[in-house]
Amino acid sequence: MRRDSVRLGVLAVVAMLAAACGDAGKPVDPAPIGSVQPPQPAHVGGADPSKGGGGTADTSCDPKASLSPNGVGLTGFSAASTMGKIKQRGKLVAGVDQTNFLFGFRNPTTGNLEGFDIDMVKQVAKAIFGSDEGRVQYRAIPSSQRENVLKDHQVDIVVRTFSITCDRKKRLGFSSVYYVAGQRILVDGNSQVKQLSDLSGKRVCATATSTSLTKIATDPSKPVPVSVDNWSDCLVMLQQGQVDAVSTDDVILAGMAAQDPTLKIVGDRFTEENYGIAVPIENDDMVRYVNAVLEGVRNGPWQASYKQWLGSRLPEASPPQATYQ
């Protein structure tokens, strides 16, 4: 009897399920879906005065003047020097970009870091280790961390489209200028924007703590600054229509335009950005040594690197002459 009861109970459940499947009833309307906004990159913000932006208004020094390399040899440095300690360690630790096409980016085919800035790092390593330019430990860092990794001695040098300013020189040591860039504007190919003043009230992207963001935030035309961690984030936001323009150094914009031919660079340069190799502020010997390396770079390797990475996208250029204190 008990077994029959169980069988009847199972049959009753099956019958109920069959009845439910046979009578679907009125379909339930799904929840209404509005317009879906594409996700934004992490840490999107505006101008943050507490973070600074390169201190472009500070004119208390000649930002281009660096320590003289006179008397500095590329070999024969002491074991107690900054270079000697790096050589004993066996690796030069360099803070670089891996998202800036043409200057510092990871080749998707080989996985190697390449670009104009990477070539500068290799020249310093080549001098320290006797032609072995491969003795580099690269540390990919966002723009906002360029100062911190030096202050915390996590890297020996930062070579990352780093503009020299008087404000930054109060906290870091800088080499002589190895590249001169200028801020311009990147917009959609159909945009009518010609200059920064055309972007009044419009969202313009730059990286946090950059001199570019400072210029956007303080321009009389009052564009709306949008800050991100990396320049690649700006490119994505422009492609998705989340900002109206990207404004930064022309060499960075040239890399973005090369990646996306539907975009265009407009307007003349409205700033001068002098790139330097940065080191911890107490390492004067390293500043002088890097300047000695750059003296040699200006006599051949600079032009070869420029031709490889930038020659087909920017006008002809020559290495900037060094200024020493």
Side-chain angles (χ1 to χ4, degrees):
M1 289 293 293
R2 185 177 177 183
R3 191 173 296 174
D4 291 340
S5 298
V6 172
R7 185 179 295 113
L8 288 171
V10 171
L11 291 173
V13 171
V14 172
M16 291 173 62
L17 291 174
C21 292
D23 183 12
K26 185 178 180 181
V28 178
D29 289 336
I33 299 175
S35 60
V36 177
Q37 296 299 320
Q40 290 188 342
H43 310 134
V44 174
D48 187 349
S50 67
K51 293 182 179 178
T56 53
D58 187 345
T59 58
S60 61
C61 74
D62 178 357
K64 294 187 287 186
S66 186
L67 299 174
S68 172
N70 290 342
V72 176
L74 296 183
T75 60
F77 43 76
S78 72
S81 67
T82 302
M83 297 75 68
K85 294 174 182 176
I86 293 170
K87 188 170 185 177
Q88 185 173 9
R89 183 204 300 146
K91 291 285 185 181
L92 172 70
V93 185
V96 298
D97 197 352
Q98 66 174 358
T99 64
N100 183 359
F101 187 54
L102 305 181
F103 254 67
F105 69 100
R106 193 170 296 279
N107 186 313
T109 302
T110 65
N112 295 329
L113 286 165
E114 298 179 355
F116 190 90
D117 273 352
I118 305 303
D119 286 351
M120 297 300 108
V121 174
K122 289 179 178 179
Q123 290 295 324
V124 176
K126 184 177 179 181
I128 293 176
F129 295 104
S131 299
D132 190 353
E133 64 180 30
R135 291 204 174 189
V136 182
Q137 179 181 330
Y138 293 105
R139 177 162 181 176
I141 55 173
S143 174
S144 59
Q145 290 300 308
R146 291 177 298 190
E147 287 195 23
N148 291 341
V149 293
L150 288 166
K151 291 178 181 178
D152 296 340
H153 296 278
Q154 297 175 25
V155 299
D156 301 310
I157 59 175
V158 166
V159 190
R160 197 189 185 287
T161 56
F162 207 176
S163 299
I164 310 169
T165 68
C166 293
D167 180 64
R168 287 173 174 162
K169 288 182 77 170
K170 295 172 183 176
R171 301 181 296 276
L172 304 172
F174 277 97
S175 72
S176 58
V177 179
Y178 70 88
Y179 192 90
V180 179
Q183 189 169 352
R184 295 178 69 189
I185 300 165
L186 182 74
V187 293
D188 181 82
N190 296 320
S191 174
Q192 299 302 307
V193 169
K194 302 294 184 185
Q195 54 195 358
L196 190 58
S197 59
D198 295 334
L199 290 164
S200 176
K202 303 293 186 181
R203 290 166 59 85
V204 183
C205 189
T207 58
T209 76
S210 66
T211 54
S212 302
L213 188 66
T214 298
K215 175 59 180 174
I216 296 166
T218 58
D219 192 79
S221 63
K222 297 189 182 303
V224 178
V226 176
S227 65
V228 294
D229 285 342
N230 291 296
W231 290 114
S232 56
D233 296 332
C234 279
L235 174 59
V236 171
M237 292 188 77
L238 179 59
Q239 291 170 327
Q240 295 182 156
Q242 295 169 322
V243 296
D244 299 286
V246 178
S247 183
T248 187
D249 307 345
D250 48 5
V251 292
I252 299 174
L253 299 182
M256 294 183 189
Q259 291 173 281
D260 187 344
T262 68
L263 306 177
K264 64 181 180 181
I265 302 171
V266 298
D268 296 326
R269 286 181 173 182
F270 49 87
T271 68
E272 181 179 279
E273 306 296 334
N274 298 292
Y275 293 167
I277 295 175
V279 305
I281 194 168
E282 65 272 20
N283 293 349
D284 285 356
D285 60 342
M286 188 66 173
V287 174
R288 295 182 187 276
Y289 186 81
V290 170
N291 282 340
V293 173
L294 290 176
E295 284 292 323
V297 169
R298 292 184 180 96
N299 296 321
W302 191 99
Q303 200 67 60
S305 184
Y306 184 90
K307 182 178 180 180
Q308 179 180 1
W309 300 113
L310 303 165
S312 64
R313 297 175 174 90
L314 293 173
E316 290 186 8
S318 300
Q321 294 299 308
T323 301
Y324 299 120
Q325 297 174 2

